[in-house]
Amino acid sequence: MAEWSGFYPCTCIAVDAQAYGGNNDRRQSEIQHDLPRILSRAARGTGLDRSQWHIQPKGDEELAVHPMDGTEPRLVDDFVRHLVSELRQYNGLRVPTARMRLRAAIHHGPVELADNGFAGTTVVTTARLLSSRHLYDALAAKADADLALLLSDDVYRSTVVGGHTTLSAADFRSVTVREKEYEAAAWLQVPGHEVPGPGPGGGLTTAQPQPSADGEPGGDSVVRHDYRGEQISVNNFTAPVDLRGGVVGFGSAGG
C-alpha cells in the first residue's frame, strides 16, 4: 500500500448503503460483509488494485483514498460501470427488500494520512457530497436503480468534460449541493437511467448556466446540449461506405 507524508493530491470515493438502519441485525451484518466484497470485485473487473487504496470502513459506509496516479477517469467511468453490474447481479439473487442500493461520491484534492483516518477539506467535501439530498431523491425517484453518484465539479470537468471517459454531459445533471457549511455545484448521475429532474420543493436543484465574459449565455465553462435542426445536414447511405482516407466533420450549435 502506497504511503505518503503531509498533504498529497488524492482521489476520494465514498459509498454508503441506502436505508441501512431500517434493516434487522442479520441483514446489517450481511451488508457489512458483502459491501467491501462487491467493491473489490468491481475494482478487479476494472483492473484496479484496491489493496493499494487507503480504506476507512464505517459499517455500511466506506471512504477510499489513494494518490492521484492517472486512474481517476477509470474510477469515474469503468469502476462505476462494474459496480453497477456487481450490484445488479447481487440484487438479482435477492428479494426486493434485501436489495443493496448505494449512494456514491467522488472528489479529488489534497489529503493527509492522519492518526485517526484522513485530514483535509477534500475528505470533508466528499462527505458532504455523499450526504446530499440529491442522492436520496434520485434513488427514491428511480426505484429500480441500484446506484446514484455525485461527482464534484472539479472531477466532472477534469474527466468527463476533459474527454477522458466514455461518458457525456447528457449522462449527468448539474445540481447545487448545500450541506452544513458546504455549498457548491456538483454533477448527478444514475447509471443506466435518465437523471431525474428537480422535484417539488426543489428536491433536485438544477444549477443555472452562467453568462460568459461577453454577456452571452453559456460561456466556455458551460456544456450546452441544444441544436438547431435547420443547421443539420443529413446524408443517408443505403449501402456500405468505405470512409478510409475520408474526413467526417461535426459542427456545433453555433455553426
Side-chain angles (χ1 to χ4, degrees), residues 202-227:
L204 292 177
T205 305
T206 304
Q208 297 300 314
Q210 298 299 313
S212 60
D214 60 5
E216 292 297 321
D220 291 341
S221 63
V222 177
V223 179
R224 300 183 61 183
H225 308 282
D226 58 324
Y227 67 92

Side-chain angles (χ1 to χ4, degrees), residues 178-248:
R178 298 181 179 91
E179 290 291 327
K180 296 184 178 180
E181 76 293 340
Y182 178 80
E183 180 174 343
W187 297 85
L188 176 67
Q189 181 194 24
V190 183
H193 299 266
E194 182 179 352
V195 184
L204 292 177
T205 305
T206 304
Q208 297 300 314
Q210 298 299 313
S212 60
D214 60 5
E216 292 297 321
D220 291 341
S221 63
V222 177
V223 179
R224 300 183 61 183
H225 308 282
D226 58 324
Y227 67 92
R228 297 178 181 177
E230 69 274 12
Q231 295 183 0
I232 297 177
S233 177
V234 178
N235 292 317
N236 295 311
F237 300 97
T238 60
V241 177
D242 187 350
L243 292 176
R244 287 175 295 182
V247 177
V248 179

Side-chain angles (χ1 to χ4, degrees), residues 104-105 128-138 148-154 156-157 169 171-179 182-190 195-199 202-210 225:
R128 298 294 180 259
L129 293 171
L130 188 64
S131 299
S132 171
R133 190 74 245 168
H134 297 303
L135 291 175
Y136 290 91
D137 290 347
L149 169 70
L150 270 179
L151 301 182
S152 69
D153 189 62
D154 288 344
Y156 172 79
R157 295 192 181 282
D171 297 317
F172 295 84
R173 178 178 296 277
S174 177
V175 298
T176 299
V177 174
R178 298 181 179 91
E179 290 291 327
Y182 178 80
E183 180 174 343
W187 297 85
L188 176 67
Q189 181 194 24
V190 183
V195 184
L204 292 177
T205 305
T206 304
Q208 297 300 314
Q210 298 299 313
H225 308 282

Side-chain angles (χ1 to χ4, degrees), residues 5-252:
S5 59
F7 284 90
Y8 199 87
C10 295
T11 300
C12 297
I13 178 167
V15 298
D16 188 7
Q18 183 82 335
Y20 173 81
N23 292 286
N24 61 30
D25 294 351
R26 292 190 61 183
R27 178 57 185 150
Q28 289 185 7
S29 177
E30 183 180 43
I31 290 173
Q32 291 199 32
H33 175 273
D34 293 340
L35 176 60
R37 287 159 178 79
I38 288 174
L39 294 170
S40 293
R41 286 197 297 270
R44 285 196 300 271
T46 312
L48 299 174
D49 184 2
R50 263 174 51 94
S51 69
Q52 299 302 309
W53 301 5
H54 292 268
I55 296 174
Q56 180 175 287
K58 183 185 173 185
D60 62 324
E61 299 180 30
E62 180 183 291
L63 173 65
V65 175
H66 62 96
M68 295 182 68
D69 57 2
T71 60
E72 189 173 54
R74 292 167 62 191
L75 272 174
V76 171
D77 191 349
D78 301 335
F79 175 73
V80 170
R81 190 184 317 112
H82 280 274
L83 180 54
V84 170
S85 177
E86 292 293 338
L87 288 169
R88 185 183 305 115
Q89 293 182 47
Y90 178 88
N91 291 332
L93 300 174
R94 285 159 177 79
V95 297
T97 55
R99 289 171 62 199
M100 186 186 299
R101 308 177 75 206
L102 298 181
R103 293 175 290 111
I106 302 177
H107 183 45
H108 62 204
V111 176
E112 182 179 41
L113 291 178
D115 293 338
N116 197 34
F118 310 108
T121 56
T122 298
V123 176
V124 174
T125 295
T126 306
R128 298 294 180 259
L129 293 171
L130 188 64
S131 299
S132 171
R133 190 74 245 168
H134 297 303
L135 291 175
Y136 290 91
D137 290 347
L139 288 180
K142 300 293 182 179
D144 55 342
D146 295 321
L147 177 74
L149 169 70
L150 270 179
L151 301 182
S152 69
D153 189 62
D154 288 344
V155 170
Y156 172 79
R157 295 192 181 282
S158 64
T159 59
V160 179
V161 176
H164 301 292
T165 71
T166 63
L167 303 167
S168 70
D171 297 317
F172 295 84
R173 178 178 296 277
S174 177
V175 298
T176 299
V177 174
R178 298 181 179 91
E179 290 291 327
K180 296 184 178 180
E181 76 293 340
Y182 178 80
E183 180 174 343
W187 297 85
L188 176 67
Q189 181 194 24
V190 183
H193 299 266
E194 182 179 352
V195 184
L204 292 177
T205 305
T206 304
Q208 297 300 314
Q210 298 299 313
S212 60
D214 60 5
E216 292 297 321
D220 291 341
S221 63
V222 177
V223 179
R224 300 183 61 183
H225 308 282
D226 58 324
Y227 67 92
R228 297 178 181 177
E230 69 274 12
Q231 295 183 0
I232 297 177
S233 177
V234 178
N235 292 317
N236 295 311
F237 300 97
T238 60
V241 177
D242 187 350
L243 292 176
R244 287 175 295 182
V247 177
V248 179
F250 297 90
S252 65

